[in-house]
Each structure stands twice: as structure tokens, then as C-alpha cells.
Amino acid sequence: MLYDTLLLDADGTLLDFDACEEVALHYTFAQNGLPYDREIKRVYQRYNDALWEQFERGEVSKEQLQQLRFARTLQHLQLPGDPKTLNRLFMQKLGQGGFTIPGAGEVLSALYGKVRMVVVTNGITATQHSRMQRSGLLPYIDRTFVSDETGSQKPHRQFFDYVFEHLPQLDPARTLMVGDTLHADMLGGQQAGLDTCWYEPTGCKSDEGLKITYRIVNLCDLLTIVLSEEHAYKIR
């Protein structure tokens, strides 16, 4: 086999963040006596996504991200409420969400014992560890690295250096980075000198010129890449 270690992103790759977020947002707004619908969710996601991009570039802190996403949402919608309270309730409920991407359990089970599988995720330590625990996927995972505890986040090289330092006998040439985001996962893996596998289930998005090694639309396709001698799904 070409690879003996897989670095696996969590949200959008193994964990169904959209499902977890929907439940947590609905709960948070309801607990504060606020309305909640698709438009409110759209506004929140626009500010949240923009702040996460800023966070990955090192332009805002974790604390700023958590407060500003709700502050800007409430301001935009002209709704009352305390951003800190909303964020606290949201994070509590989010940490209880263990929804997984279809096929994630089956794929990890099939790969278990054949390759070392390590989760590498941006996020809040307690929340991400709780969600992984509730997902039922942890029995297959060797280690979990969360940006909040590493001191840096994907795609920065410092995050991957931390992972490399804490994984004995890791060979970058035999390590594959698997994830759903171009910036955090594909660019991050590329900058760390790793082969990359882009999980993009719609099959529609552009790779924006990144030198991605593989592109898959179904997690089960990862089995062919890892277990087969053929270079299936290779795009360079």
C-alpha cells in the first residue's frame, strides 16, 4: 500500500457538521425566546464562515470568533440577546452532536488495523473531543489533534509540525491528508509535504488550481485509494 497513515479531517469529512449545527442553532435560539428559520440560519452561517476564514488566516482569535458570529447575526437581524449567552448554549448543544457522514463508520472499520488513522481538526477542544466520542468512531482512531490545543490551526505549517512531532515514526511520504475543505485541508496538507485527498461529495466545486493528489465524491472511494495497488482517483 502507498500509505500507512491517514490524517482525517473531522467536520464535513467524518462528522456531519451541518446536522449538528442545525440542532444546536435551533436549540440556542429557542432557549432565548428568539425566532429561528432558514433565513436566520443563512445570516448566521455567512458571518460564521467568514470569521472561520479569518481565524484560519490568524486575523481573529477563537474568543473573537465565538462572540462576533452571534453579535453580528443579532445586529443584522435586529434581534435582542446576549452574544456570549447564545454562544455558550450553542457550544454546549453542539458538543452533544455526534452525527456522522454516511459511510464514515464503515470506511474506518474496513481500514482499521491496516493503516494508522489520526483525526486533525480545527475547533474547540472540549467540543470536538465530545463529538468524536459521541460519534462512535473513536475505537478506530489512534489520536485526535484539535487546533485549540495545538496552538495553531490548519492550514498553517505549525499545526502539522505539531502533529508530526507527536506521531512517532511518521513518514510524510506515506501519509495522506483527507478532508473536505480546500484551504484548511488541501492547502494545509500540500504545504506540509503530504499527498492529499479531497472529499467533495457534490463533484462540482473547482479545485482552484491546488495540486490535489486525489478527488473523491464518496468516502467509500477512499478504500480503493488506500487498499488497492492501482492509483484510482489520482488527478496528478
Side-chain angles (χ1 to χ4, degrees):
M1 296 189 297
L2 291 175
Y3 307 104
D4 58 28
T5 301
L6 302 181
L7 300 186
L8 299 157
D9 173 53
D11 287 318
T13 304
L14 299 179
L15 302 181
D16 188 341
F17 182 78
D18 290 340
C20 297
E21 181 185 59
E22 173 65 24
V23 171
L25 283 173
H26 189 278
Y27 171 84
T28 298
F29 279 80
Q31 287 294 304
N32 284 269
L34 299 173
Y36 179 73
D37 55 25
R38 289 185 179 180
E39 176 61 18
I40 291 173
K41 180 180 180 179
R42 185 191 65 79
V43 171
Y44 166 83
Q45 287 182 325
R46 185 176 71 187
Y47 288 118
N48 184 58
D49 292 348
L51 284 163
W52 270 104
E53 291 177 4
Q54 289 182 273
F55 177 68
E56 290 170 357
R57 294 194 298 265
E59 296 172 0
V60 297
S61 67
K62 175 189 66 177
E63 292 75 16
Q64 289 173 315
L65 182 156
Q66 290 181 306
Q67 181 172 347
L68 286 173
R69 60 187 177 185
F70 283 105
R72 291 175 179 176
T73 299
L74 293 174
Q75 182 179 28
H76 180 102
L77 297 168
Q78 297 184 343
L79 291 173
D82 175 36
K84 290 184 178 180
T85 299
L86 266 67
N87 186 74
R88 176 177 54 80
L89 289 172
F90 175 75
M91 294 304 296
Q92 288 176 352
K93 193 65 174 178
L94 188 67
Q96 299 170 13
F99 301 106
T100 60
I101 295 293
E106 292 81 356
V107 169
L108 297 193
S109 176
L111 292 174
Y112 183 66
K114 301 178 178 65
V115 293
R116 176 168 55 174
M117 292 181 284
V118 177
V119 169
V120 289
T121 175
N122 287 347
I124 310 304
T125 300
T127 302
Q128 295 302 78
H129 281 296
S130 174
R131 293 176 62 223
M132 284 300 302
Q133 180 69 46
R134 292 169 182 267
S135 73
L137 301 178
L138 273 187
Y140 308 116
I141 302 298
D142 287 83
R143 290 283 302 272
T144 299
F145 294 92
V146 184
S147 61
D148 193 29
E149 60 192 4
T150 65
S152 186
Q153 61 273 342
K154 299 179 295 180
H156 298 303
R157 181 58 190 263
Q158 295 96 317
F159 176 91
F160 290 92
D161 286 344
Y162 182 98
V163 173
F164 294 169
E165 291 170 6
H166 290 79
L167 289 179
Q169 301 178 335
L170 181 141
D171 180 1
R174 290 180 54 77
T175 301
L176 180 66
M177 176 68 219
V178 183
D180 69 304
T181 65
L182 285 174
H183 186 250
D185 300 319
M186 298 301 96
L187 178 60
Q190 178 184 318
Q191 292 180 156
L194 306 176
D195 280 359
T196 53
C197 178
W198 186 26
Y199 169 55
E200 206 291 282
T202 72
C204 299
K205 295 179 182 177
S206 166
D207 62 15
E208 299 181 8
L210 290 177
K211 294 181 180 179
I212 299 167
T213 316
Y214 308 94
R215 178 172 179 164
I216 60 176
V217 298
N218 191 305
L219 276 183
C220 293
D221 298 334
L222 186 60
L223 297 177
T224 304
I225 294 173
V226 177
L227 301 179
S228 173
E229 295 296 331
E230 302 176 4
H231 292 184
Y233 307 103
K234 197 163 190 177
I235 58 177
R236 70 168 175 83

